[in-house]
């Protein structure tokens, strides 16, 4: 069993804000991340597929195909965008790293034949989140 | 002569847009950086002072004092903010890396007794700008 | 289930030396790390909590609260210190990465409501240790 | 239980090509990695051993002994070499990251008393593979 | 005056070998870099243009145009190639970092209207070369 | 003209303290860097030589010879040491980055035939100092 990972970088703006909360509650909960005009990051996304290596090709899957999928499904959608205003499939979710990575999972997993194993999203070099999918215990 | 540098990191949103240009011209000129809702970066700023080392202290200047100044004059103003909407001293300038670093120079230089020598601003690991001040030839 | 990680950096000195061993045995065992006057590192500590994301906040836990806890319980105690001489809760342990990270776990875990999942301590970019707590099998 | 990791870097050339496939199939499968004269990387290898820390030494194993083993068994064999032409124990395998890391596992595992737990091989900062050995499920 | 830099990464193989020297001389001079089948690197190239920022656009030059030029003139030519066998404009030069960066300068400079100021080529994180062009003193 | 740089990393302890000053003055001046038992860093040293590339070899100088010199004159002396107690040629100087890099310059320059151009010493990723030698204006 191998775990093969591909890294993607994108630059985006976002703001942590839940409209169901009062302004005071939002500020208390999200701190500076709740600033009204938003802030931004150079995000880094590590996408990991897991499986045996094919005996003939020596690969878990075609890494170039993975790269193309990530470009089409993620990079073209979020790079140089505002995650809260510009990305339909993030709409209605507070754009915490947890929620963003889970939405990205939903988008990629159906295209990866059950191989998707883990996604790690870095907001900055100071914090990141790992997600193993809705079925991981 | 020594050049002593201190690094600062901050996360901010911005948008490249000159209201004096048409929308079409802005889009042509700034590309994805002109997206209406903005995008963002984990910026890195390297501030360099230049001078001899004091014979007794062994320092060009007190690095902790430099760090405190940068925190007060830069970090507290721009971290987790939108550079175009939240920062008075960036107002009226297109927030290119060139313009941002020059504005930061104006803000810091008067507090550094002629020692300020160079500022480097990274927008991402893919591009950065160096500025040596308005008097450099 | 999400794993949310926060990174902390600190600079410290230490020396690997077990007073129960002879000088020759210490030198043989710890090599250059046993040099009498010690050496030092820019340590990097990644602290990971694990749990579901709250449906309303979108967070496993408040990342700012985690950052404040790490500052108070770890950074203020070890940054710019000698781990063997200045840190009471490391006293009596050889300051290997394994022992240091385990002592840090003991210090943080009681404050994290069962969420603490993994701690990774880098001594340098060449070696690091992961610890999953005393109950991990 | 601790997981102790040591990092090794080496520079090597390689080409992805399976002589059992047609040229067209090789080109389709491996893309630019199939270029006839090969390409190269600054590889990074993270080798992880897993076990309890010895109560007296505070170490899972002697990190210097691990470093010496990696230098002898890996670095001296692959650094500044062509993986397909110069390394006997890689001969006959397509030099995908999966196959290379598995071959390195076979070479190191017998010398590590059952402690070897995981090997991660980075081809570049954009992709890496993790391997947990032939018995991992 | 601003210095604006753009970073490019590519993976390539090469071998240091001067056919005008004996094999013994090549081996003595270039060491492991002379291995017959070559080795490789993940090269990093920082290209710097220098000039005033345009008062209206706030830019030294259009960074996207620079990126497109570098992709066309450099990346498409050298990425996943063998520098000695696959790149016509490197032919007949020993592929030291000095010679490679000078050849890249010759290729890019005519397209940059006198703005090209410095090129830095990293072979690995352990060594790099800066070049300021044939006219720098 | 080329500037060729080689990077060296070492781990060391040090303490900023001038015995000619009072304890209070030392504490005020050096802050946490004055802690009595010292602290430490993973230092990074970039050594740059400057000159034309030899027409036959394509090199400013033999990079391997530079690496061997740096290992012998610097790394073997300071790695896993306490800069204030273990290094004769640093004795009597406060171990600021400025003083340390200047002492290293004195040690290396006589062996480099006038080619030594710049030395950059990083104490951490947050600060570094550049030195161009005693004759630079």
């Amino acid at each position: 069993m191998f775990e093969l990972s591909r890294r993607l970088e994108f630059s985006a703006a976002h703001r942590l804000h839940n409209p169901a909360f009062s302004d005071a509650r939002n500020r208390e909960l999200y701190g500076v991340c709740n600033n009204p005009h938003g802030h931004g990051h150079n995000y880094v996304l590590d996408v990991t597929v897991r499986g045996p290596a094919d005996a003939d090709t020596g690969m878990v899957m075609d890494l170039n195909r993975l790269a193309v999928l990530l470009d089409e499904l993620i990079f073209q959608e979020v790079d140089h965008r505002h995650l809260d205003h510009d990305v339909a499939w993030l709409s209605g979710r507070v754009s915490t790293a947890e929620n963003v990575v889970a939405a990205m999972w939903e988008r990629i997993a159906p295209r990866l034949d059950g191989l998707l194993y883990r996604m790690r999203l870095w907001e900055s070099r100071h914090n990141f989140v790992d997600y193993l999918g809705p079925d991981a215990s």
Side-chain angles (χ1 to χ4, degrees), chain A residues 2 34 38 41 47 49-50 63-64 67 75 80-81 84 93 95-96 104 114 120-121 128 132:
Chain A
F2 296 90
N34 181 245
H41 300 294
V47 178
V49 292
R50 186 173 196 273
L63 197 58
N64 289 324
F75 184 82
H80 282 76
R81 303 291 172 80
D84 305 313
R93 312 194 196 201
S95 56
T96 58
M104 289 177 169
R120 171 173 290 191
L121 182 65
F128 56 90
L132 281 87

Side-chain angles (χ1 to χ4, degrees), chain A residues 67-88:
Chain A
V68 168
L69 271 175
L70 294 179
D71 181 72
E72 173 197 329
L73 296 175
I74 305 290
F75 184 82
Q76 296 296 334
E77 298 274 318
V78 297
D79 184 54
H80 282 76
R81 303 291 172 80
H82 193 299
L83 300 184
D84 305 313
H85 298 306
D86 297 327
V87 186

Side-chain angles (χ1 to χ4, degrees), chain A residues 16-29:
Chain A
L16 297 188
H17 182 80
N18 186 339
F21 297 151
S22 69
D23 283 359
R25 175 74 178 124
N26 270 299
R27 187 71 192 184
E28 177 196 353
L29 195 56

Side-chain angles (χ1 to χ4, degrees), chain A residues 80-131:
Chain A
H80 282 76
R81 303 291 172 80
H82 193 299
L83 300 184
D84 305 313
H85 298 306
D86 297 327
V87 186
W89 44 273
L90 290 174
S91 179
R93 312 194 196 201
V94 183
S95 56
T96 58
E98 291 92 328
N99 282 347
V100 171
V101 79
M104 289 177 169
W105 180 285
E106 292 168 17
R107 207 164 155 73
I108 299 173
R111 303 288 290 275
L112 288 175
D113 311 319
L115 293 175
L116 186 56
Y117 173 65
R118 185 181 58 228
M119 292 177 64
R120 171 173 290 191
L121 182 65
W122 300 75
E123 282 194 330
S124 75
R125 64 187 307 280
H126 305 294
N127 62 283
F128 56 90
V129 65
D130 289 294
Y131 183 54

